[in-house]
Amino acid sequence: MDFRDAHNDVGALLPGKSTEHGASRRTALQAVLGLGYAAAAAPIMAQTAITTPGDGLEEGWVTIPSQGFDLPAYQARPKGKKHPPVVLVVQEIFGVHAYIQDVCRRLAKAGYLAIAPEFYARQGKASDYTEISKLQAELVSKVPDAQVLGDLDATLAWAAKAGGNTQKAAITGFCWGGRITWLYAASGKVKAGVAWYGRLEGQASAMTPIHPLALAGQLKAPVLGLYGGQDTGIPVASVAKMQEALAQGSAAAKKSEFVLFPDAPHAFHADYRASYREAAARDGWQRLLQWLHSHGV
């Protein structure tokens, strides 16, 4: 996966440099961690970061038994609502930090039980890393797809026991999680997916044996792909390949759609980063809600 934009973001915090506001690297990292964001995602754009209040919600951390492991997950749901539909939320490369937690609260405000598992928990903590290259090499690359997909199955099972309506379940994910969204849409266990700028093709490996392009024809749930026309890591040509594959695929594949925001870069929904584009992010969010509703979630 191409993380050049993210590398640019963290460049100001490398040793020997100060942030644009003159703070030391240590002070900047302390500020980032104090705000609840992953250190490797710094610098944080606090002026655009959205914080959704938890009033009217039940929210917080839970433990999900999965594949012999106690998987931590953040969940939020409307207070007093019986059997809310379920949305699985799949993190970016940076783990379940403040932004992903806030996405869960936004979905809960819309009436959903939203759950974001910490998929890296067996391998380590994303919050321990201050450099994206090390985070990718030492943690993310060691998390196999099979483990993640099994954790999603376990999360749905937990949600059912916790009162969620898993007959009306969906999945959404960002960047790293956008790719996972496409994969899980082939499982037959969700009714819809929304993938935010997730990688569509790449080299197969033991950890990542198949990519969305190869699975396009086998989707069992329609996916809405929200992508940026200025994404340097996911070219428009890759999106076009996926569209062609979907058109030749299953009924769910043929119902899948893409929205390409022409002026948006990668991670345009990440309101805490410089890549944030408010108009595209708000438009994409409304499309997400409409997509879930139109597919019975």
Side-chain angles (χ1 to χ4, degrees):
M1 187 178 295
D2 192 325
F3 297 112
R4 283 174 289 180
D5 287 345
H7 275 295
N8 290 338
D9 282 352
V10 81
L13 297 181
L14 293 175
K17 294 184 179 181
S18 61
T19 69
E20 59 184 340
H21 300 295
S24 68
R25 180 173 181 267
R26 177 177 295 178
T27 301
L29 289 177
Q30 287 173 340
V32 168
L33 294 172
L35 289 169
Y37 294 96
I44 301 304
M45 309 300 288
Q47 67 271 30
T48 57
I50 296 169
T51 301
T52 302
D55 57 296
L57 304 179
E58 297 176 14
E59 47 93 17
W61 289 91
V62 297
T63 300
I64 296 173
S66 178
Q67 306 171 81
F69 181 77
D70 290 335
L71 181 69
Y74 181 86
Q75 65 90 33
R77 70 181 82 191
K79 282 184 180 177
K81 183 172 182 177
K82 294 184 178 180
H83 308 302
V86 175
V87 180
L88 303 170
V89 179
V90 190
Q91 66 201 41
E92 319 165 289
I93 187 177
F94 303 117
V96 185
H97 60 156
Y99 162 65
I100 295 299
Q101 294 172 37
D102 202 84
V103 167
C104 289
R105 292 194 296 275
R106 296 175 211 180
L107 286 165
K109 292 279 186 179
Y112 296 101
L113 166 53
I115 321 165
E118 275 278 17
F119 292 106
Y120 306 162
R122 295 173 185 80
Q123 284 79 16
K125 295 180 180 180
S127 60
D128 289 343
Y129 289 85
T130 60
E131 297 178 33
I132 291 172
S133 58
K134 288 187 176 181
L135 171 63
Q136 170 67 13
E138 297 176 9
L139 181 57
V140 181
S141 65
K142 297 180 180 179
V143 180
D145 285 350
Q147 173 188 297
V148 175
L149 299 177
D151 285 344
L152 286 167
D153 289 346
T155 302
L156 277 181
W158 177 90
K161 292 180 180 178
N165 184 353
T166 54
Q167 298 303 307
K168 293 183 176 182
I171 183 169
T172 190
F174 303 84
C175 185
W176 183 88
R179 175 181 171 274
I180 295 297
T181 295
W182 286 104
L183 299 187
Y184 204 65
S187 70
K189 296 173 182 177
V190 291
K191 298 189 71 171
V194 179
W196 300 78
Y197 33 83
R199 182 164 50 115
L200 299 170
E201 53 185 329
Q203 291 294 321
S205 70
M207 292 291 185
T208 57
I210 194 165
H211 292 287
L213 183 61
L215 268 182
Q218 303 170 40
L219 294 189
K220 294 182 174 64
V223 176
L224 173 64
L226 301 172
Y227 285 71
Q230 302 302 313
D231 191 329
T232 58
I234 305 172
V236 174
S238 186
V239 173
K241 284 183 189 178
M242 188 67 173
Q243 288 176 307
E244 184 177 348
L246 290 167
Q248 305 299 318
S250 63
K254 291 175 180 176
K255 290 178 182 177
S256 298
E257 297 178 10
F258 275 90
V259 177
L260 192 67
F261 296 92
D263 299 323
H266 190 75
F268 62 83
H269 187 267
D271 50 71
Y272 68 101
R273 294 179 62 198
S275 57
Y276 178 57
R277 298 294 183 270
E278 182 178 4
R282 289 183 180 276
D283 188 358
W285 187 258
Q286 290 305 311
R287 290 176 185 272
L288 174 149
L289 296 176
Q290 292 166 6
W291 187 259
L292 299 187
H293 180 73
S294 65
H295 289 92
V297 181

